[in-house]
Amino acid sequence: MEVMEAIQSRRSIRRYQDIPVDDKAVEAVLEAARWAPSWANTQCWRFIVVRESDTKSRLADTLIANPDIGEKNPADKAIRTAPVVIVACAEMGKSGFYHGEASTDKGDWYMFDVALAMQNLTLAAHSLGLSTVHVGSLDGKKAAEVLNVPEGFRVVEMTPLGYPDQQPKPRPRKELAEMVFYDTWGNK
Ligand SMILES: Cc1cc2nc3c(=O)[nH]c(=O)nc-3n(C[C@H](O)[C@H](O)[C@H](O)COP(=O)(O)O)c2cc1C
C-alpha cells in the first residue's frame, strides 16, 4: 500500500472479528515498529504481545474513561476481545538524554519515540488488512503490575490488533490553514 494512501485510509477500529492473527503478521507489524527513528537511536521502546484472554481483561480494567463520552473507555471491549493486544512500554532516562542528563527543555522524549514506533506499527498493520487503535487513556502503573513491567520502564499505550468488524467514516481534521504558519508564528 502506498504511504499516503495508508496514512489517509487508516481508522481507529474498536470492533474486531473473531479471526485469529498469526505470529507472522504480529512479527511483521513489530518489524515496522523496530525501524522507527529514535533519539540517538536509543530505541527505548519495548513491546509485549498479549494473547491470553485473562490478561487482556485485566489490561482493559486499567483503562480510563473519557467522562465526556461515557462510563467506559471506548476501546474497552476491543482490548478484551481482539485476538492480540500489543502493549508499548518505554525505558526511562534514555531518549532525550546525553551522558545521563536531559539535554532539552522537554525532559524525557520516551513518549515521542514510542509514538513514532506505534505509528509505524499501526500503518503497517493497516497495509496488511489488520486494524488497531492507539489506547493511551489508561493507568500505566496498574497496567505495569498486570504485565510485571520492571522498575525503570513505563507502560505508554496499547493497541488491539485484529481484523476489523466495522468501517467507520474518517474523523474530521482541521484544515492546513488552521495549523500552518509561514516564517513566523501567526503568519499565514
Ligand atoms: C495518544 C492517543 C491516545 C488515544 N487514546 C485512546 C483511548 O484511550 N481510547 C480510544 O478509544 N481511542 C484513543 N485514541 C484514538 C483517537 O480517539 C483517534 O485516533 C482519533 O479520534 C482520530 O480517529 P482516527 O484514528 O480514526 O483517525 C487515542 C489516540 C491517540 C493518538
Side-chain angles (χ1 to χ4, degrees):
M1 191 184 276
E2 201 256 321
V3 173
M4 203 61 192
E5 185 197 344
I7 290 169
Q8 290 183 330
S9 60
R10 180 210 55 84
R11 301 279 172 274
S12 289
I13 295 297
R14 300 179 177 88
R15 287 212 312 262
Y16 289 86
Q17 296 180 58
D18 189 15
I19 298 175
V21 174
D22 63 30
D23 289 341
K24 218 172 126 199
V26 173
E27 196 180 317
V29 301
L30 291 169
E31 185 67 13
R34 186 170 85 92
W35 280 98
S38 62
W39 180 280
N41 204 25
T42 41
Q43 303 163 68
C44 71
W45 48 64
R46 301 289 184 277
F47 306 100
I48 302 176
V49 178
V50 180
R51 288 186 182 274
E52 284 174 5
S53 293
D54 178 56
T55 308
K56 286 187 272 180
S57 290
R58 289 168 64 212
L59 287 173
D61 290 340
T62 72
L63 301 190
I64 296 167
N66 173 348
D68 297 334
I69 297 179
E71 283 177 17
K72 283 190 173 169
N73 187 305
D76 185 284
K77 196 169 169 206
I79 295 293
R80 286 178 205 281
T81 59
V84 177
V85 171
I86 296 178
V87 182
C89 308
E91 185 172 11
M92 307 304 296
K94 297 286 178 200
S95 180
F97 287 71
Y98 290 133
H99 301 291
E101 295 283 329
S103 66
T104 73
D105 59 339
K106 315 281 180 326
D108 198 319
W109 281 69
Y110 72 97
M111 297 285 279
F112 192 94
D113 286 358
V114 169
L116 293 173
M118 290 301 281
Q119 174 75 340
N120 274 13
L121 184 148
T122 59
L123 290 176
H126 178 49
S127 78
L128 296 172
L130 289 160
S131 293
T132 56
V133 52
H134 294 282
V135 181
S137 180
L138 53 83
D139 184 327
K141 284 188 185 155
K142 280 192 196 156
E145 276 171 33
V146 170
L147 299 167
N148 294 328
V149 174
E151 284 282 309
F153 290 80
R154 279 193 193 168
V155 170
V156 178
E157 74 145 307
M158 61 182 82
T159 179
L161 179 72
Y163 294 95
D165 197 20
Q166 61 176 166
Q167 281 188 307
K169 291 204 175 79
R171 300 288 315 274
R173 298 301 201 257
K174 291 176 184 168
E175 296 299 328
L176 280 181
E178 291 180 71
M179 59 178 83
V180 180
F181 305 132
Y182 294 92
D183 295 323
T184 51
W185 183 274
N187 194 27
K188 299 194 176 203

